[in-house]
Amino acid sequence: MTNKLEVDGVILEFDSKRVLQNVYLKSETGKVTGLLGRNGTGKSCLMKIIYGELLPNDSSIRLDGKPIYNEFRNPTDIMYLPQGHFIPKSLTIKTIFKNFQLDFSDFITEFPEFKKLYKERFKNLSCGEQRILEIYLILASDSKFCMLDEPFSQIMPLHIETIKRLILKEKRDKGIIITDHLYKHILDICDELYVIDEGKTYLTKGLQDLETLGYTRITSDQNFNSIEQYTIT
Amino acid sequence: MITILCVMISYTQGINIFTALFWFKIITLGIIVYFINNYKRNEFYYYKNLGLSKKVLWISSLTFDFILFLTLIIITLLVR
């Protein structure tokens, strides 16, 4: 079954400074929706609005066409990976997997180095290990949509590739919204790419749009070859 | 800890101190809520991702803590 999450009409102001206006974003089952934008343009704010954590001046959020009015989000509908670490430090890995009703053996298939850490407390993991665990919990849990805010930060390149593979595997059953400044990884995996500029979202049609919208200078980028395959479907 | 402190004070001072302890407990709960909301705010995402909103967590934990406080104070005053 295909599910659809839409958000539009978002107006967000902080002390009369308008951060978001005229925003439209759509996510569907089977698609990875990328969200890029310069620092402070409101990417994380938009995710928090969708997740009901930030109250905007105005917004319309619809799940399968039905508007969501309250701040509660059912985890079977949507899950959210915030920028910072969110797992209580005193919990053990065993407890965390039990709480999220996930199978630890599936996790160590992807990340075998965690095998010996099953009984460790979360605080004893390195920052990168903590982040990998958090990303996995949100990605692998059974929900219609998930939002990932800067998942690739703090992660070593080898594991980024594993996470990208996981994202592509999980998108079969869910819609994924992802933002990160390591944008080449976003370009590798996304099916649709929005850029936020001056409070508005733009659905990009090609790489040139990223430069036009002031996000990056692709033509002068030495690693351009790695992303030139990117096409918007 | 605050509840235990209140129980010890009520044991030594008796019923006369109850009003002061009541407001002391309310104020300390307010301070705890303020600091946890600020310093542990990301951890609320863990519980929200499990289906427990901030409101549910606070209502249940504060209700439990306050009932425990009242119960222990009443028992202490009866035993005294």
Side-chain angles (χ1 to χ4, degrees):
Chain A
M1 185 189 168
T2 301
N3 298 292
K4 191 159 72 174
L5 176 72
E6 287 176 290
V7 55
D8 61 15
V10 175
I11 295 175
L12 178 69
E13 291 177 348
F14 290 125
D15 298 328
S16 75
K17 185 196 170 195
R18 191 163 281 199
V19 179
L20 293 172
Q21 59 178 341
N22 201 12
V23 162
Y24 178 79
L25 187 85
K26 184 182 73 178
S27 176
E28 287 177 294
T29 307
K31 284 187 176 177
V32 177
T33 305
L35 184 62
L36 298 178
R38 285 175 288 176
N39 291 324
T41 49
K43 303 179 296 297
S44 296
C45 285
L46 182 57
M47 284 192 167
K48 284 179 184 173
I49 288 168
I50 295 169
Y51 198 56
E53 279 297 307
L54 186 61
L55 195 64
N57 300 72
D58 197 11
S59 74
S60 172
I61 302 162
R62 298 179 301 282
L63 181 63
D64 297 329
K66 292 176 187 166
I68 303 171
Y69 295 112
N70 58 14
E71 63 185 41
F72 178 72
R73 300 289 181 269
N74 196 322
T76 56
D77 290 335
I78 187 162
M79 297 187 86
Y80 173 55
L81 175 84
Q83 263 183 41
H85 296 300
F86 70 94
I87 296 177
K89 291 182 173 29
S90 58
L91 296 182
T92 61
I93 312 295
K94 184 182 173 185
T95 307
I96 293 163
F97 272 84
K98 193 179 166 191
N99 287 345
F100 277 81
Q101 295 177 320
L102 290 172
D103 195 345
F104 186 70
S105 58
D106 292 339
F107 177 60
I108 55 169
T109 307
E110 301 290 348
F111 301 99
E113 59 272 40
F114 278 79
K115 193 174 182 179
K116 60 183 185 298
L117 301 171
Y118 186 54
K119 291 183 179 174
E120 283 290 334
R121 291 191 188 278
F122 185 72
K123 64 182 173 189
N124 295 333
L125 305 186
S126 71
C127 276
E129 288 171 333
Q130 289 179 349
R131 199 61 180 159
I132 288 167
L133 181 60
E134 290 177 332
I135 294 165
Y136 183 83
L137 292 177
I138 299 301
L139 263 179
S141 291
D142 190 17
S143 66
K144 293 173 186 166
F145 295 93
C146 72
M147 295 190 295
L148 310 173
D149 195 348
E150 299 199 1
F152 302 131
S153 307
Q154 307 172 3
I155 309 287
M156 70 175 188
L158 197 63
H159 283 150
I160 287 180
E161 293 308 317
T162 310
I163 289 163
K164 280 160 68 178
R165 193 160 34 80
L166 260 177
I167 289 172
L168 294 175
K169 181 183 155 195
E170 290 296 330
K171 82 167 187 178
R172 291 175 206 152
D173 305 315
K174 62 181 70 167
I176 298 170
I177 301 173
I178 184 167
T179 182
D180 203 298
H181 285 303
L182 297 172
Y183 70 96
K184 288 168 191 170
H185 296 302
I186 303 288
L187 298 180
D188 279 346
I189 55 172
C190 75
D191 300 288
E192 286 182 331
L193 182 67
Y194 291 85
V195 174
I196 301 185
D197 185 44
E198 294 183 354
K200 299 174 186 173
T201 47
Y202 298 87
L203 182 61
T204 60
K205 294 184 176 67
L207 283 171
Q208 189 60 43
D209 287 351
L210 297 186
E211 188 164 348
T212 309
L213 292 164
Y215 182 67
T216 185
R217 286 184 192 152
I218 289 169
T219 49
S220 61
D221 194 325
Q222 296 302 306
N223 296 316
F224 179 59
N225 287 341
S226 65
I227 55 169
E228 66 184 351
Q229 299 300 317
Y230 169 69
T231 50
I232 301 292
T233 52
Chain B
M1 288 297 286
I2 289 162
T3 301
I4 291 168
L5 180 69
C6 290
V7 167
M8 287 165 67
I9 294 170
S10 66
Y11 186 76
T12 55
Q13 302 296 317
I15 190 79
N16 299 332
I17 200 82
F18 179 76
T19 309
L21 288 179
F22 176 85
W23 287 111
F24 175 69
K25 181 68 182 173
I26 295 288
I27 290 164
T28 51
L29 282 179
I31 292 168
I32 288 167
V33 169
Y34 174 78
F35 278 99
I36 289 180
N37 273 338
N38 279 288
Y39 295 104
K40 298 273 184 186
R41 62 174 179 268
N42 256 20
E43 291 184 11
F44 285 108
Y45 289 119
Y46 181 84
Y47 298 101
K48 190 165 178 177
N49 277 318
L50 291 170
L52 294 165
S53 70
K54 200 186 279 188
K55 201 184 287 178
V56 168
L57 289 170
W58 276 127
I59 289 173
S60 54
S61 57
L62 292 180
T63 304
F64 172 78
D65 190 41
F66 202 70
I67 288 173
L68 181 71
F69 164 78
L70 285 178
T71 309
L72 290 177
I73 292 283
I74 290 166
I75 292 170
T76 306
L77 292 173
L78 290 173
V79 168
R80 186 175 181 263

